[in-house]
Amino acid sequence: SAKYIEICPGTEVNLQTDTSATAYYWSTGASGKSITVKDTGWYIVEIDIDSAICALVDSFKVNTKACYQ
């Protein structure tokens, strides 16, 4: 299921999958277990569980929220 995250404008958030795997393929082109982003939008990661056909997909939706200094 998708994870929904809200961040203050101009800040970054670390997105990390909870699944251990042999390979990770993020929609940004990254290949690690986690990525740091500052832009809003959808981030998708394909998770290869093993060298066979077993793979999962995880998704993150990043939105901004009103933050006061």
Side-chain angles (χ1 to χ4, degrees):
S1 67
K3 295 173 183 71
Y4 295 89
I5 300 162
E6 290 186 327
I7 60 173
C8 295
T11 62
E12 296 180 335
V13 64
N14 185 268
L15 307 178
Q16 180 172 321
T17 179
D18 297 330
T19 306
S20 294
T22 57
Y24 304 91
Y25 304 100
W26 289 88
S27 54
T28 62
S31 59
K33 186 173 182 175
S34 66
I35 60 171
T36 300
V37 299
K38 63 180 177 180
D39 295 325
T40 59
W42 282 99
Y43 295 89
I44 312 295
V45 58
E46 180 183 312
I47 306 159
D48 287 351
I49 303 300
D50 54 38
S51 58
I53 311 259
C54 189
L56 301 172
V57 173
D58 208 353
S59 57
F60 300 83
K61 173 68 168 144
V62 177
N63 290 311
T64 55
K65 63 180 177 180
C67 297
Y68 303 98
Q69 300 274 348

